[in-house]
Each structure stands twice: as C-alpha cells, then as structure tokens.
Amino acid sequence: MAKQSTQFICQACGASAPRWLGRCPGCGGWNTLVEEIVAGKKSRGSLPTAANKPVSIGEVPEDAAARLPTGIEELDRVLGGGAVLGSVVLVGGDPGVGKSTLLLQALAGLAKRGARALYSSGEESVAQIALRARRILGDQSLGDRLQIVGASDVAEVEDAARLARPSALVVDSVQVLRSAELESAAGSVSQLREVTARLVDLAKKERIALFLVGHVTKDGALAGPKVLEHLVDVVLSFEGERGNAFRALRASKNRYGSATEVGVFEMAQGGLAEVPNPSELFLAERPAHASGSVVAPVTPQEGGARAVLVEVQALVGSVGQGNGRRVTTGLASTRLALILAVLERKVGFMLAGADVFANVAGGLTIDEPAIDLPLAIAVASAARDRPCARDLVAFGEIGLAGEVRGVARGMSRLGEAASMGFKRAIVPASTAERMTGNDRSGVEVIPVRRVEEAIRIALDD
Ligand code: TYD
Ligand code: MG
C-alpha cells in the first residue's frame, strides 16, 4: 500500500495546504479546510509503451469515439449524439430532481439496443431500484443486459464491472462511494478525487460509457466541484423547480459535442417523458387577454441554438408608503431592478412605491439579456392594466438609456414563434437588419430602437 500522509484540504475547491488555515488559500472560503489522509505519490515508469507512442491524426481510427445512442432523443442530443464509449459523464442536480430515474431509463434504452448495462447504486437498495425499474420500464424484454448492483466501495464497482462487462455503467452516486485505501469519510474531497480517478481509469481502460451521479450543494455547485469537473469529459446538470414537473438537462462542458444544447423532460407517473416541443408546454396555461403577460422567444442555454417560447408575467401592486417590494421567479432580480429604473427614468412610469412581481411561467430560469424587452412590456402592461396583443412575441436587450439593443439567434427565435402560430415579433432594429432576406418564417418583423416604442406597439396605444 502506498505511504500515507495527511493534508488539509478545502472542501469547497479542493486546494490543499500542509497545515490548518482559517481561510482557504485557493478560494478564500473560511473554515473550509479539513484534515484528510492522502496516499503518497506513486512512482510512474517513464519508458514509452505502445499505448503512448505518438501517431498522426489520420492514423487514429474513426471508432475511437464510438457512440451509443440511448434512444432518449433529448438526452442523446445534449450528449452530442449518444454516450461515447470510454467517456465519463457527470450528472449533477438537486436531490429528487430525477437523476436516478433519467439514468435508469438511459441504461434501459441502451440495453434495448443490445448493449450491456450496469447500474451501481450506493444510495438505494437493489430491491428499490428493481421495483422502480419494473414500474417505469414495464415488461420491456431486456434479457440480462440490464444489471444492478449495490456498492459502497469503489472496489466493489470495479469487481462488478469485471463480472458484468458492461458498455455503459451508472454510478449513483459518486459521493457515497469510498475507497478503503483512504481513511477519510465518503464524500470528502480526497475520497471524491480518488474514487472518481479510479472510475475514470476503469472507463478508459474497459471502454465503458460511464455516468456518475453527483449531488449538488445548497448553493447550486457540485460538492467538491472543481475536483470532479476537470476529471470528467462531460458535465450535465439536471434542473427543475420543486412542485413543477418540468425538467431541463444542460451541458456545461462537453468534450464530445456542443455544450449549448438543452434537453427538456417532464416527470410523470411512468418516469421521465421527453418534451420535444417545450414551447407548447410553457404556453399551455397562458391566460387569455390578461394584462402583464408577454410571450418571449428565449434561448434557455447560454449561447444555445435552441429557442423556446416562454410566458413572462408581471404584476404591479398599488403604490404604497416607502419602497415597494420586488420579487422575481425564474429571472434575476437585478434584471427587474434595471428594467424598472429604465421605465421610471426614461419612459415616465411611477413604480418606486409599488410592489412588482415578475415571473417566467413554467419553472424555467432565464438569464439572457433578450428577456429585457418582454419583461419591460409585461411590467408596462401590468402597470397600465392593458393586455398585450395576443399574436405577438418580443425579444431584445435594454440599455440604461432606454435603447433596445440587438441579440443573437434572431432567426431561430422567429422560427420558434412561427411554429407556434405567432404573427408578429417586436425585434431590436439592429437584429432585424441582420436577419436575412424575406424568409422570416411568415412572421411580421417590427423593428424597434427604443423601449417606449416597443411598449406602444405591444399595448396598441
Ligand atoms: P429520482 O430519480 O430518485 O431523483 P434523484 O436521483 O435526482 O434524487 O426521482 C425522485 C422523484 O421523482 C421522486 O420525488 C418521485 C419522482 N418520480 C415520479 O414522479 N415518477 C416516477 O416514475 C419516478 C421514478 C419518480
Ligand atoms: Mg437518486
């Protein structure tokens, strides 16, 4: 066994120090350093072997990154076309969001296509998983291609993989696994690092598509985030609001595809169902002729190609004493504050003493500037109690002087609006100029330069 020594390791960023410090030298966090026993460095041979001999790009066989589609299209698209043999995918998300369900369904999809799949759980008992599998997979005849094992030590996972010889392996979760070689508790940074490194090794050597489930801490980061994220090839996060069935799967890192895709699911009785047309879901409960509601084509993933339509809602209370409250759901409160300031100072709305609530309906969180204009129109519509025209969508960034600024992906936003039957779009003038030719998907484009212009058109003033 390797020589052991102790180090003080930051539980937030993974930085290490030889002695205890009140403040982490890496991330500046207070009281985050914990003493952990770490294995001494193993010496490595330096003679070149066949495996590390340089080759020219043309010599590398195409199937070096063979892909296995899971058949769940929303997942395959986010992965970049399916799971890659020998790759490691980390799936993070809050407890209860549906990570285990998603990956069980993914393994079943792979098994259905003839691949051998192994689900290793340290969270739930084998009996619990089997029960869930029977319920959501029904009587699909998967033969013995989908196997389950309970494991709490990484060596048990390695043994199980040797026996089952899977092409795809799920480890649920990486935080409950420990390595007997280290004395620190499961979930500590040195354990996470060791366990993940061994599993990554296993995946690369045996050419297994490996999925690791990772829990997320309260502030939304993966526990021991930097430690895990740079060890793996793909980082996915599975998100959803409590009490809302809708779930979004996003990639924040993808060595095998684009990191700008988003997959949309709905948690139902029989497990996760794909939502191929999310706009329909997000607009399903839109009230007729209500003030304070505007439809916005947004790209839920930063830089993403896919546009979806969401309903932006605002409610303005009556003006009272002192400062009004500002409450947001699904968008940053700083964005609302900026829009309110522009509406006050540049357009002449009196909102300082009023309570203002703003909401992206459906549980999606949007953090792109294109939501500014629909948000401003929604607030104006609520403040004047005038409904916005129903055949209309709007998007655009708003600057501090009240100018409407261009945003990217104008055409895909228009295309999505057209596919849902909208007839007109209020668009930043500079974006409208960049959109090509006459083919605007049959949607009338209304270019605007100022926020007050957009409000006038939308509210039909
Ligand atoms: P789970 O996959 O266990 O979440 P995670 O692994 O991310 O903690 O999903 C748990 C939740 O999903 C649970 O609250 C119940 C719900 N659920 C359904 O609504 N329908 C289903 O078919 C399944 C399997 C779970
Ligand atoms: Mg789980």
Side-chain angles (χ1 to χ4, degrees):
M1 203 158 107
K3 179 177 151 281
Q4 292 197 332
S5 62
T6 72
Q7 287 254 318
F8 290 84
I9 297 186
C10 172
Q11 301 297 303
C13 76
S16 62
R19 61 191 174 86
W20 189 82
L21 297 167
R23 187 170 194 191
C24 169
C27 65
W30 291 98
N31 290 323
T32 54
L33 263 57
V34 170
E35 183 171 24
E36 291 185 8
I37 296 168
V38 293
K41 280 208 167 56
K42 297 177 191 112
S43 67
R44 292 247 160 93
S46 58
L47 285 179
T49 60
N52 61 15
K53 184 174 147 277
V55 294
S56 57
I57 289 171
E59 276 177 69
V60 182
E62 285 262 5
D63 76 349
R67 282 192 193 270
L68 297 176
T70 65
I72 303 175
E73 270 177 42
E74 294 290 302
L75 171 63
D76 288 341
R77 193 159 35 76
V78 174
L79 288 171
V84 174
L85 289 176
S87 76
V88 184
V89 180
L90 177 64
V91 181
D94 290 330
V97 72
K99 301 178 295 296
S100 305
T101 309
L102 176 71
L103 292 175
L104 184 63
Q105 287 180 250
L107 286 191
L110 289 165
K112 211 163 127 192
R113 282 164 181 72
R116 298 181 58 78
L118 176 63
Y119 190 106
S120 160
S121 179
E123 300 250 329
E124 291 159 294
S125 70
V126 168
Q128 273 174 315
I129 300 163
L131 194 70
R132 173 191 292 179
R134 263 184 228 117
R135 195 165 60 75
I136 62 179
L137 306 177
D139 50 4
Q140 295 181 37
S141 55
L142 302 174
D144 63 352
R145 291 190 301 276
L146 176 55
Q147 303 201 323
I148 359 179
V149 65
S152 56
D153 191 298
V154 63
E156 292 167 354
V157 180
E158 290 166 339
D159 291 345
R162 235 160 259 135
L163 282 174
R165 308 208 64 78
S167 309
L169 168 63
V170 167
V171 175
D172 188 1
S173 68
V174 68
Q175 275 110 340
V176 297
L177 275 192
R178 63 188 306 272
S179 155
E181 320 249 307
L182 299 183
E183 273 170 28
S184 42
S188 65
V189 168
S190 51
Q191 282 286 3
L192 273 178
R193 199 183 271 166
E194 168 75 7
V195 162
T196 307
R198 276 174 65 174
L199 292 172
V200 168
D201 231 39
L202 175 74
K204 303 282 170 199
K205 280 205 187 97
E206 308 290 329
R207 288 182 37 87
I208 298 172
L210 171 64
F211 294 88
L212 301 175
V213 173
H215 291 302
V216 159
T217 54
K218 274 183 246 87
D219 52 6
L222 280 165
K226 289 175 189 110
V227 183
L228 291 188
E229 292 188 357
H230 76 257
L231 289 173
V232 302
D233 301 303
V234 181
V235 179
L236 303 182
S237 57
F238 203 37
E239 300 161 9
E241 300 266 325
R242 211 163 267 287
N244 194 316
F246 146 80
R247 302 282 181 272
L249 183 71
R250 305 165 198 256
S252 59
K253 163 180 175 178
N254 193 346
R255 285 183 182 152
Y256 297 102
S258 128
T260 60
E261 289 290 353
V262 51
V264 182
F265 298 87
E266 197 176 359
M267 184 59 94
Q269 278 303 309
L272 287 159
E274 295 182 63
V275 181
N277 189 351
S279 300
E280 213 168 281
L281 178 76
F282 297 139
L283 298 184
E285 287 164 290
R286 193 179 164 221
H289 304 294
S291 60
S293 158
V294 176
V295 175
V298 293
T299 54
Q301 175 75 314
E302 201 184 331
R306 184 182 202 180
V308 300
L309 300 185
V310 295
E311 182 192 351
V312 182
Q313 298 181 321
L315 182 65
V316 175
S318 53
V319 177
Q321 302 277 306
N323 288 333
R325 284 191 300 154
R326 277 84 179 86
V327 182
T328 58
T329 315
L331 48 92
S333 52
T334 47
R335 204 172 279 291
L336 176 63
L338 180 143
I339 298 302
L340 294 181
V342 169
L343 288 176
E344 290 227 4
R345 304 304 296 258
K346 304 292 168 184
V347 193
F349 279 86
M350 306 283 281
L351 298 164
D355 293 341
V356 181
F357 303 86
N359 175 23
V360 175
L364 203 64
T365 297
I366 302 299
D367 189 25
E368 67 156 355
I371 197 127
D372 287 354
L373 189 59
L375 179 58
I377 297 171
V379 172
S381 159
R384 294 222 178 117
D385 198 17
R386 269 183 88 100
C388 167
R390 258 190 100 67
D391 62 344
L392 190 110
V393 300
F395 61 90
E397 181 177 359
I398 295 179
L400 294 182
E403 81 279 19
V404 176
R405 311 177 73 112
V407 295
R409 321 241 176 241
M411 285 311 290
S412 77
R413 295 177 205 269
L414 274 195
E416 188 63 20
S419 75
M420 292 299 292
F422 287 87
K423 300 278 180 276
R424 300 186 293 156
I426 299 183
V427 173
S430 64
T431 305
E433 276 160 26
R434 271 185 284 127
M435 291 194 297
T436 45
N438 304 324
D439 178 30
R440 287 170 170 180
S441 332
V443 176
E444 181 197 346
V445 172
I446 308 169
V448 293
R449 293 179 194 282
R450 303 276 319 159
V451 60
E452 56 271 27
E453 221 182 308
I455 291 170
R456 211 168 43 236
I457 295 163
L459 305 186
D460 226 354
D461 265 356

